[in-house]
Amino acid sequence: MDEIEIPSHFLCPISLQLMRDPVTISTGITYDRESIEKWLFSCKNKACPVTKQALHDSDLTPNHTLRRLIQAWCILNASHGIERIPTPKPPIDKTQIAKLLKEAKKYPEMQLKCLKRLRSITLEGERNRSCLEAAGAVEFLVSIIKSYDSTLLLEVESNEGSEFIQASDEALSILYHIKVSESCLKSIISNDQEFVESLVQLLKNGNYQSRAYATMILKNIFEVEDPIQLISVTPEFFAEIVRTLRDQISQHASKSALKLLVELCPWGRNRIKAVDGGAVFVLIDILLETSDKRASELALIVLDQLCGCAEGRAEFLKHGAGLAIVSKKIFRVSHVASDRAVRILSSISRFSATSRFLQEMLQVGVVAKLCLVLQIDSSYKTKEKAREILKLHSRVWRNSSCIPSHLLSAYPSS
């Protein structure tokens, strides 16, 4: 294909590749469907890529004439190794989806088959996902998930119970992949708090895949949730999110669970609920095991939040490896991680430092690391936190032989 020049009007202005399914937008410019759908729906752009004109609708009109010309050109140049592009299938529309949903509601025995078709539609492209949302598929999927009953797990051997759980799992998967818009999410949760409770039940009783999807959907929900609802999250919810982290279902689910905790912990008594749910030990274990930069940053952010309360600090001190691993993350992950690690050490040393803890800080090299923070390029706030810690306990640490001589010179005067 490199040996022959492709006519310029056969190339997509976005991808600069031969168009396989040319479509025209309201500005009159033609693009390949896959490229313009990604531009409009994934990247959320509202202007024509070529003319920069604002688009008041996202209608895509198939350019059949151009497509036939491209196909004819492909046939003429078959001897050069160019394959004829297939005629694309017509895209799904809202009417077809609405008909599918109506059948599933009218005939429950067709529900699973309908869900599998919806999944296929969802995975075909961004435009289809927007079409599903506009046709009311999100509300239909939510209704299936809400009807999930954990007691059916006991009846899973029966064909009916098994199919029902399959339908719930399928609905959860589709709902996640649709990537529901913020406005639609807000509409669902403002009218129906039972949906969140249903997701918590799936976290509690579902299989690993369902728990992963439930966690990721909950993360999306709480990012747009009303602060009043953030305050009223139950201890059971925190226990299940912590269990998701402990079980290491998937990297994506773990990061979503960490982001959920970051979002929830600043509100009300949520820090105490998270501590009671076992979050501190699990977060320290994550820091011990992960080499992923973002996971380390998120774990340190949550741990910093939890060490802001007495209960969190008490749990931190109970873990034998907490101090060493937090100190180790300084300079080894990122500036964000270093800052949070120093903040954690600051919270403990200011409010919960015992003589044993202060000696441990010397022995595992934490004090030496704090001296290093003052010498190496760090943010002003991080340096100030480190300086405060060192000044606060200078009587215990200043003349210690555990601090290397080349770092002792950085020790601040009290």
Side-chain angles (χ1 to χ4, degrees):
M1 196 162 171
D2 294 331
E3 298 172 8
I4 187 165
E5 187 177 347
I6 303 171
S8 59
H9 53 287
F10 289 177
L11 299 175
C12 171
I14 297 174
S15 68
L16 301 180
Q17 299 294 314
L18 184 69
M19 287 187 277
R20 303 180 69 80
D21 185 5
V23 291
T24 305
I25 61 173
S26 57
T27 57
I29 307 294
T30 297
Y31 301 91
D32 194 38
R33 182 184 292 278
E34 185 181 350
S35 297
I36 193 63
E37 283 186 355
K38 188 175 180 182
W39 171 269
L40 293 173
F41 302 118
S42 289
C43 303
K44 309 292 182 187
N45 291 299
K46 302 294 181 187
C48 172
V50 171
T51 66
K52 309 303 180 191
Q53 286 177 267
L55 297 172
H56 302 294
D57 63 60
S58 55
D59 291 343
L60 306 176
T61 306
N63 191 329
H64 296 300
T65 303
L66 181 57
R67 194 239 316 144
R68 290 188 189 106
L69 285 171
I70 293 171
Q71 287 176 322
W73 179 84
C74 289
I75 292 167
L76 284 172
N77 291 280
S79 59
H80 295 280
I82 295 174
E83 294 181 8
R84 180 184 181 276
I85 60 168
T87 302
K89 292 189 299 182
I92 197 91
D93 61 34
K94 281 198 294 185
T95 311
Q96 292 168 282
I97 295 170
K99 184 182 176 184
L100 196 61
L101 296 176
K102 188 177 178 182
E103 283 179 7
K105 290 171 187 175
K106 190 173 180 181
Y107 307 107
E109 66 275 10
M110 296 287 290
Q111 199 173 78
L112 197 54
K113 186 179 177 182
C114 161
L115 286 166
K116 286 178 178 176
R117 174 66 183 129
L118 286 176
R119 181 179 60 180
S120 172
I121 292 168
T122 304
L123 299 176
E124 280 171 10
E126 289 290 338
R127 179 194 169 276
N128 284 7
R129 292 195 269 274
S130 297
C131 211
L132 282 162
E133 186 176 307
V138 172
E139 290 77 8
F140 170 68
L141 296 168
V142 167
S143 70
I144 292 175
I145 294 165
K146 276 174 57 186
S147 59
Y148 171 88
D149 184 353
S150 59
T151 58
L152 278 171
L153 291 171
L154 303 173
E155 305 164 22
V156 76
E157 291 177 3
S158 75
N159 190 47
E160 188 179 345
S162 177
E163 279 199 12
F164 185 85
I165 291 165
Q166 263 187 284
S168 178
D169 289 347
E170 198 73 63
L172 202 59
S173 168
I174 298 164
L175 191 62
Y176 168 71
H177 285 106
I178 284 177
K179 297 173 186 171
V180 184
S181 68
E182 187 175 313
S183 57
C184 185
L185 267 181
K186 280 184 175 178
S187 172
I188 290 166
I189 56 181
S190 63
N191 297 324
D192 187 2
Q193 278 301 313
E194 284 181 25
F195 179 48
V196 172
E197 181 54 37
S198 298
L199 291 173
V200 174
Q201 287 305 309
L202 279 161
L203 277 181
K204 194 173 182 180
N205 301 301
N207 58 39
Y208 267 25
Q209 189 178 52
S210 293
R211 287 171 63 198
Y213 284 134
T215 302
M216 294 184 280
I217 292 168
L218 282 165
K219 189 266 294 184
N220 294 338
I221 287 173
F222 280 104
E223 283 177 345
V224 301
E225 183 65 283
D226 188 275
I228 296 295
Q229 300 302 329
L230 298 180
I231 292 168
S232 59
V233 173
T234 63
E236 181 190 25
F237 180 93
F238 281 98
E240 291 307 322
I241 292 299
V242 170
R243 190 165 72 95
T244 300
L245 284 172
R246 186 184 293 117
D247 290 348
Q248 297 182 11
I249 295 171
S250 72
Q251 197 173 54
H252 201 164
S254 292
K255 284 184 182 175
S256 293
L258 287 168
K259 287 174 184 176
L260 252 175
L261 291 175
V262 169
E263 194 73 38
L264 292 170
C265 283
W267 298 91
R269 293 177 58 80
N270 286 349
R271 289 182 302 184
I272 296 169
K273 294 173 193 172
V275 171
D276 290 343
V280 173
F281 269 48
V282 170
L283 291 167
I284 293 171
D285 290 342
I286 287 171
L287 291 172
L288 286 165
E289 293 166 12
T290 190
S291 57
D292 182 86
K293 175 187 169 184
R294 189 56 183 150
S296 293
E297 287 176 344
L298 289 167
L300 286 165
I301 290 168
V302 181
L303 203 51
D304 174 31
Q305 292 173 336
L306 299 185
C307 285
C309 68
E311 293 83 356
R313 293 191 294 274
E315 282 296 296
F316 182 89
L317 291 172
K318 288 177 188 176
H319 197 297
L323 187 59
I325 191 60
V326 167
S327 171
K328 187 178 179 181
K329 294 297 177 182
I330 299 172
F331 300 133
R332 294 200 178 192
V333 181
S334 66
H335 284 301
V336 171
S338 296
D339 178 59
R340 290 293 177 162
V342 171
R343 282 169 60 103
I344 292 164
L345 296 173
S346 174
S347 293
I348 303 291
S349 62
R350 284 175 65 200
F351 302 112
S352 303
T354 61
S355 57
R356 181 183 168 187
F357 173 76
L358 295 178
Q359 286 304 313
E360 188 184 348
M361 287 184 79
L362 269 175
Q363 290 161 5
V364 300
V366 177
V367 180
K369 185 68 77 77
L370 292 171
C371 289
L372 197 59
V373 169
L374 300 181
Q375 292 184 327
I376 292 181
D377 182 33
S378 304
S379 72
Y380 174 76
K381 283 186 178 180
T382 304
K383 285 189 174 183
E384 281 303 296
K385 285 280 182 192
R387 188 174 282 110
E388 282 173 19
I389 300 168
L390 292 168
K391 280 185 175 182
L392 188 62
H393 301 293
S394 61
R395 278 192 201 174
V396 181
W397 296 334
R398 189 170 177 78
N399 299 314
S400 172
S401 58
C402 293
I403 305 174
S405 55
H406 68 283
L407 293 176
L408 199 56
S409 60
Y411 204 105
S413 55
S414 52

